[in-house]
Amino acid sequence: MANVVVIGSQWGDEGKGKIVDWLSQRADVVVRFQGGHNAGHTLVIDGVTYKLSLLPAGVVRPGKLAVIGNGVVLDPWALLDEIDVLRSQGVEVSPANLRVAENVPLILPIHRNLDKARELALGNARIGTTGRGIGPAYEDKVARRAIRLGDLASADIVSAKIDALLLHHNALLRGLGMSEVDAAPLFDALMAVAPRVLPFSDIVWKTLDGVRRAGKRILFEGAQGTMLDIDHGTYPYVTSSNTVAGAAAAGAGLGPGALGYVLGITKAYTTRVGSGPFPTELTDAAGRTLGERGKEFGTVTGRARRCGWFDAVLVRHAVRVNGITGLALTKLDVLDGFETLRVCVSYRLDGEEIDHLPASSLLQARLEPQYEVMAGWSESTRGARSWADLPATAVKYIRRIEELIGAPVHLLSTSPEREDTIMVRDPFVS
């Protein structure tokens, strides 16, 4: 039996929510270990759509423990709003099935305001953040001035930390020509929200250690994708956390030995949201078709996603830096009806062929994708639940992807519905 880490192998939006929900029926605990409410997971269960940002996907399943780890940055007001929405849909959320790390840093209104002000100031050079304060909150965490969930139990600690925080933030706001923040309203807001969020506070590392020692199964749920990792992604057009599998240990409070199987969620084509390089991006009819069929709009922002052909170079990169054991290939059905398909097998940079993504954003912008052309299929793959239901050319497409990226497809998703999933290997069985 192995614990499972689920990560995105592209730029996020690979369909992790459905896969995590599908896997959670085999898990006892589901853990979010990084990111914030800039993440967006959409689950479709028995025709009902659930949209999650902060809460682990396992929270919609009765009898499962959902955990938000210390590697996350938490907006307490967004958390409570999300809980209220789920409750209105008949999902029970309480401290009995949701625990939040006491040492998780909080996202405050000043973080959201600063995030938006910076993006506005950057103009055409903006990163494309969601404006939800994720980056500034991580900055305060690293700079050792964050207010953490457990701090809310003491008014004196909160007051002292606000003073230290505003010493820095008000200087930034003055530099941006914005009004300074008064400590009193922020203090009052935190004291008002404290009684509602503190019941969820927990010594998460200790709880998870007990779960592991009891032999229960843990599912680690990543947000965003490998190419948005602060170190390994298309920097600076990335998120502010480590999105790779190794972050699951630090972001949950467990040693790396607790991690087992790494499942890379991989879309059968490629998308990204926001600014930054995208070698296989399509701006023609094929790209529009992928976006329309795949309903490629952000769960959190509603922004249209940029679409392109499958990039085997990027996914091969993700396989290596994450130590991916196997892939969950999603949205294969979106490719139904294409007469031909293209797969990027290498890049050409200034006349030279290369087999990796360079770290420099200047070099990334000059990459020319080198394609292999494959036959498409006219039959529908939507809802297929066995390999025998797939057209031969679709199977050939999948096998070629496996060869190019150096990892096998262990799960195949053929629609947003939970049960439309083909399993080759159960990730929880080591």
Side-chain angles (χ1 to χ4, degrees), residues 219-239:
L219 181 62
F220 299 91
E221 175 186 346
Q224 289 91 36
T226 301
M227 292 303 130
L228 292 176
D229 184 272
I230 189 68
D231 290 307
H232 300 285
T234 48
Y235 189 90
Y237 300 97
V238 293
T239 194

Side-chain angles (χ1 to χ4, degrees), residues 48-83:
V48 180
T49 299
Y50 303 94
K51 294 188 176 183
L52 307 179
S53 294
L54 265 172
L55 294 172
V59 77
V60 301
R61 282 189 177 273
K64 308 297 181 181
L65 178 62
V67 173
I68 296 177
N70 58 273
V72 173
V73 284
L74 181 90
D75 183 321
W77 298 277
L79 174 67
L80 294 171
D81 286 345
E82 194 169 326
I83 289 173

Side-chain angles (χ1 to χ4, degrees), residues 19 25 48 55 102-103 117 132 136 153 188 191 242 254 256 262 270-272 324 340 344 351 380 386 393:
I19 299 299
Q25 64 188 328
V48 180
L55 294 172
E102 62 179 357
N103 52 337
R132 300 197 168 202
D188 291 343
M191 289 298 94
N242 284 112
L254 288 172
V262 179
T270 310
T271 63
R272 83 169 295 174
I324 287 175
T340 59
C344 177
S380 174
S386 74
T393 45

